[in-house]
Amino acid sequence: TDLYEDGEYYSHGTAVSSCIASAINGVGGFGVAPKAQILFIKMDFYFTSLDKAIRYAADNGADVINMSLGAYAETFTDGYGDQQVGDSSVATMLSSAISYAHNKDCVIVAAAGNEKTNKKSYPACNSGVVGVGALKEKSGTAAATFSNFNKSSDTSTGDNNVDVMAPGVVYTSQVPQEDARTASSSSDYADSTYDVTQGTSFSSPLTAGAIALYRAAHPGDSRTKVISELTGSCDDIGTSGWDSTYGFGRVNLEEFINVGTSVETVNVSPASHTLTMTAQNGSPTVQLSASFLPNDADDEYKEGVWMSMDDNIATVDDNGLVTAVSAGTTEVYFVTEKDMIDGKCDITVIDQ
């Protein structure tokens, strides 16, 4: 939230919060999740305070924690030619608090940073945190020139600056500095305005707002499921698949929020079967079928493939028809393509 120090207001918190939950009231703009409840935690700029703030948010029911801030573990010259002084301790300073929040099922989102560098920024690069990079103004495919990015050696499963991308130039609430207020102002906030601003600090809360909407629509989904659906529904806008500039791609709010009910369990029937090969019947067969739980799982989550663990014993075709090949035992699986949920039938082949 906002800070007042030495005669100046730091309205970063107001601008960030408005990206998430500004009300639809006919004035200015509105947030991605205007009905979301914001837990305001006033703090200074130290990571020790941030540790406490994360724990406080987790203890008080936060579903999503947004952190539009960052620090570097190493000293380097950034993309503007300025020196960034790092502190090696920041890489682990928040690890315990983040794990604490994760254990309470909080999704944590953080800004990737605005130094146009691939040096690792924390907390975006802390394990399990969703790092968000910025898209250029009025572009859904180009990264903003100021946005941090990943190293070419990074991978999709690593701890990266950028996991997803969101708009980085926004029209948002602003609290003017003291000297900009009029003499007739009735309060410190009477002359609050709206203005265009930029930074991954705003890409991050836009993503946090999307996650808030998702969690409202899918309250039973775990933190890891939320992140999986977020990254899996992104528009791939860079090199095919995950890449070092865009991560998994641009957040697609509609695809993310409207994700259907996924399959949790696959049952294959029959669960076991014995095929007896004789001179008369050649290669006997059995038809398998797959059923899914929950019963209202969407069809897109039911798509999958049949596979035999040993084609020398028995084969299975695309429709689940198993054919005996030689004596022995094997397992035949149906595996969903989207979430890799599987069920199996134990096959025994006897050769008489």
Side-chain angles (χ1 to χ4, degrees):
T1 189
D2 301 330
L3 295 175
Y4 180 77
E5 184 177 295
D6 298 329
E8 289 191 271
Y9 280 86
Y10 297 92
S11 59
H12 188 256
T14 295
V16 167
S17 298
S18 72
C19 291
I20 300 171
S22 283
I24 302 174
N25 57 9
V27 180
F30 57 87
V32 174
K35 294 184 179 181
Q37 293 181 316
I38 298 292
L39 176 62
F40 294 99
I41 304 173
K42 181 164 287 193
M43 53 165 283
D44 55 31
F45 298 111
Y46 295 99
F47 268 34
T48 50
S49 298
L50 184 56
D51 179 289
K52 296 176 182 177
I54 294 169
R55 295 173 190 273
Y56 181 87
D59 285 341
N60 285 274
D63 294 305
V64 190
I65 296 174
N66 177 74
M67 294 188 282
S68 292
L69 49 84
Y72 297 97
E74 59 182 304
T75 298
F76 64 96
T77 300
D78 67 19
Y80 301 98
D82 297 326
Q83 186 181 52
Q84 298 292 328
V85 178
D87 181 342
S88 60
S89 67
V90 303
T92 56
M93 195 176 293
L94 297 176
S95 297
S96 177
I98 289 170
S99 294
Y100 182 83
H102 283 167
N103 288 336
K104 289 182 175 286
D105 210 37
C106 295
V107 179
I108 301 179
V109 186
N114 306 316
E115 283 70 48
K116 52 182 181 181
T117 181
N118 61 11
K119 301 296 184 182
K120 291 189 177 294
S121 175
Y122 297 89
C125 285
N126 281 108
S127 180
V129 174
V130 179
V132 188
L135 291 168
K136 184 180 178 180
E137 184 178 12
K138 298 179 182 179
S139 174
T141 58
T145 56
F146 56 78
S147 182
N148 285 0
F149 45 95
N150 301 320
K151 298 178 183 292
S152 59
S153 58
D154 288 339
T155 66
S156 62
T157 57
D159 300 326
N160 306 310
N161 285 329
V162 177
D163 294 302
V164 299
M165 300 287 286
V169 182
V170 297
Y171 181 71
T172 188
S173 305
Q174 299 287 323
V175 178
Q177 301 301 317
E178 188 173 36
D179 59 6
R181 301 197 174 106
T182 66
S184 61
S185 295
S186 58
S187 74
D188 283 341
Y189 302 100
D191 296 326
S192 296
T193 60
Y194 299 89
D195 202 357
V196 175
T197 189
Q198 67 180 30
T200 58
S201 278
F202 309 104
S203 311
S204 182
L206 291 176
T207 303
I211 293 170
L213 289 177
Y214 181 96
R215 301 210 85 166
H218 308 276
D221 284 1
S222 67
R223 174 187 70 84
T224 53
K225 178 67 181 299
V226 174
I227 295 174
S228 175
E229 295 296 346
L230 171 68
T231 57
S233 61
C234 283
D235 293 327
D236 190 355
I237 55 176
T239 303
S240 181
W242 186 92
D243 65 75
S244 60
T245 300
Y246 301 99
F248 288 97
R250 179 184 62 232
V251 173
N252 184 322
L253 184 59
E254 182 177 12
E255 289 291 329
F256 178 38
I257 300 305
N258 294 330
V259 64
T261 301
S262 60
V263 168
E264 296 177 5
T265 303
V266 175
N267 293 311
V268 172
S269 180
S272 62
H273 190 79
T274 298
L275 295 168
T276 301
M277 301 175 65
T278 66
Q280 289 74 32
N281 68 4
S283 299
T285 63
V286 60
Q287 179 66 55
L288 304 183
S289 62
S291 59
F292 309 92
L293 293 174
N295 293 323
D296 62 348
D298 290 325
D299 288 343
E300 65 178 301
Y301 290 93
K302 297 178 183 178
E303 296 177 2
V305 295
W306 290 98
M307 61 179 66
S308 171
M309 298 306 292
D310 191 341
D311 286 339
N312 293 317
I313 303 298
T315 60
V316 62
D317 68 12
D318 293 342
N319 298 311
L321 182 66
V322 176
T323 302
V325 176
S326 64
T329 60
T330 187
E331 297 169 331
V332 173
Y333 284 85
F334 182 87
V335 184
T336 64
E337 293 179 344
K338 195 170 183 68
D339 292 325
M340 304 296 287
I341 308 298
D342 63 67
K344 70 180 177 71
C345 171
D346 295 314
I347 296 291
T348 299
V349 178
I350 299 174
D351 188 354
Q352 293 184 340

